[in-house]
Amino acid sequence: IKEEGPFDGIMGFSQGAGMAAIVAALAESGGGGWRPFRFAMFFAGFYPEQMAAFGDTVGKSRLGVPSLHVVGECDAVVPRSRGVELATRAFEDPEIRSHPGGHFVPCNAEWRRIYQEFLAKIDAAPDL
């Protein structure tokens, strides 16, 4: 991130979503040495319980970065409840969306519209 950034946002799928949450927390706390992200997107994500530092960071105050959390109703790998836990425990005002499928990133026209609308809100917001 220091070498290739700055980046406007971060996104991750499954374990990558857990890692993206950790990186977003580092950015927001100033611990990463780079500016906070303008947005974060998580697909089939989960709250990274094993990272005590993550819990310490979000335990003080939830992350303010605008976030979209996409969870599958039939996800057998990362149950929907774990994705919702990441959203509600770690983020101030998360946008949570569910799809009827399993462990994948939905990408049909309806979901592309949802992603575009989320990103349009970010684009319209003033830079901090």
Side-chain angles (χ1 to χ4, degrees):
I1 292 174
K2 285 182 183 180
E3 294 174 13
E4 301 291 330
F7 296 99
D8 286 331
I10 190 166
M11 63 184 279
F13 170 73
S14 196
Q15 288 181 325
M19 179 56 92
I22 292 166
V23 173
L26 279 171
E28 195 161 308
S29 71
W34 57 85
R35 70 173 173 84
F37 298 106
R38 293 184 64 212
F39 69 90
M41 298 171 72
F42 305 96
F43 303 89
F46 56 89
Y47 190 92
E49 294 283 350
Q50 293 77 14
M51 292 294 299
F54 181 77
D56 291 345
T57 299
V58 300
K60 294 174 187 156
S61 66
R62 288 188 226 145
L63 303 176
V65 62
S67 61
L68 174 66
H69 303 258
V70 178
V71 296
E73 295 290 338
C74 297
D75 192 334
V77 179
V78 179
R80 179 187 183 285
S81 61
R82 294 193 68 200
V84 171
E85 178 187 26
L86 171 62
T88 58
R89 277 183 70 186
F91 293 87
E92 282 180 17
D93 189 23
E95 183 174 333
I96 304 169
R97 298 292 189 112
S98 296
H99 64 84
H103 196 68
F104 62 86
V105 177
C107 59
N108 64 23
E110 175 188 357
W111 280 95
R112 289 192 307 272
R113 181 187 52 76
I114 290 168
Y115 305 145
Q116 289 168 345
E117 289 172 359
F118 174 75
L119 292 171
K121 286 188 289 188
I122 303 306
D123 196 40
D127 288 334
L128 300 175

